Amino acid sequence: MPSKMSGLMLAGIAAYGTSTVYTAFTAVGGGLAGLSKGRSVSNRGSSSSQQSSRSEASFGTSTTGVCVLGAAAAALGVAAGRRSSGRQGEVSRAANPRKFNEQLPCSSGPFSVTVGKAGPSSFSILIAGLEKAGLTSALDGDGPFTLFAPDDKAFEAAGLTAEAVLAHPDLVTILKMHVLPGAIVAKGFKNQTVETLGGPVTMRKGVKGVMMNKAVINKADVEIANGIMHILGGVILP
């Protein structure tokens, strides 16, 4: 009975009280393993063939089974927590958050980021600009950083082709204006001036949403392993 209670308590913690998906995964996985152990102890009097068949049928005795069920329960728990909270500033968490340089190329698959009906965002122009400006290594640091990331649609809306971006004389300064030391999430958005690596940028709330100079934030709070990313519908210009 104690092991069953421990399993239920850990599952409850994973569903409602975890701060990261990894913590929920560990808690629920441990709880499932505990429940399985309890079942095996209670069945010691059974024949060896019965124990073998039950062991094969039980996910709890399989590392793969625990991983699958633990991950599923953790994901459901975090999703339920988000739906119940309804607070601004909730962070979009991937199962295994990646660093900026690993996340930006993900325009498909489980790590892709979708902005409303526009579909998955691609960041090929931003990536090319960061490489040309020699700023990719900076985004590999421990951080935390805040990246205001224009997707390819944002550059197109600003009339900036990949060629124009790479040839821009102020490329380094412009890209640095999209990076902020420290992590700022949506609940911290307000009318203020923030000091980016490229200089001051005005953040203000308006009818279109939160603006960075004249670029609107289309999707906030995408959690990255070394910071936070907000996807822009435009480009921050001096």
Side-chain angles (χ1 to χ4, degrees):
M1 180 64 71
S3 61
K4 289 185 178 181
M5 289 298 294
S6 298
L8 292 173
M9 289 174 64
L10 288 169
I13 291 171
Y16 299 106
T18 55
S19 59
T20 65
V21 171
Y22 176 79
T23 304
F25 176 93
T26 304
V28 177
L32 291 170
L35 286 173
S36 173
K37 184 177 179 181
R39 285 196 294 271
S40 65
V41 170
S42 66
N43 292 331
R44 281 180 179 173
S46 303
S47 66
S48 60
S49 62
Q50 289 175 324
Q51 288 178 341
S52 175
S53 63
R54 287 175 184 172
S55 176
E56 290 173 0
S58 173
F59 269 98
T61 57
S62 165
T63 301
T64 303
V66 170
C67 290
V68 171
L69 291 179
L76 289 172
V78 172
R82 285 186 192 144
R83 286 196 299 269
S84 63
S85 66
R87 294 176 300 174
Q88 185 186 30
E90 289 295 326
V91 174
S92 301
R93 298 179 184 274
N96 296 291
R98 298 181 168 194
K99 288 189 174 183
F100 290 109
N101 291 330
E102 298 170 318
Q103 173 64 51
L104 288 174
C106 297
S107 57
S108 62
F111 292 97
S112 63
V113 181
T114 299
V115 180
K117 297 180 179 179
S121 289
S122 58
F123 300 91
S124 61
I125 298 177
L126 177 60
I127 293 170
L130 291 170
E131 291 174 348
K132 174 74 178 293
L135 296 175
T136 53
S137 60
L139 294 180
D140 271 332
D142 293 334
F145 307 107
T146 300
L147 176 63
F148 298 97
D151 59 13
D152 290 344
K153 300 182 189 72
F155 281 103
E156 293 168 5
L160 294 170
T161 64
E163 292 75 15
V165 170
L166 296 179
H168 201 290
D170 296 323
L171 175 63
V172 175
T173 298
I174 289 173
L175 291 180
K176 283 185 175 181
M177 292 178 72
H178 292 77
V179 182
L180 180 71
I184 178 172
V185 296
K187 65 182 178 182
F189 290 169
K190 59 184 179 180
N191 295 330
Q192 61 182 317
T193 298
V194 296
E195 283 294 332
T196 69
L197 296 182
V201 172
T202 300
M203 174 186 287
R204 70 180 188 279
K205 292 184 175 182
V207 293
K208 294 182 179 180
V210 179
M211 309 285 289
M212 300 297 295
N213 283 358
K214 295 182 179 181
V216 66
I217 297 176
N218 281 340
K219 185 177 182 66
D221 290 350
V222 179
E223 186 187 30
I224 309 297
N226 56 344
I228 296 291
M229 182 168 74
H230 309 297
I231 301 178
L232 298 180
V235 181
I236 301 174
L237 298 171

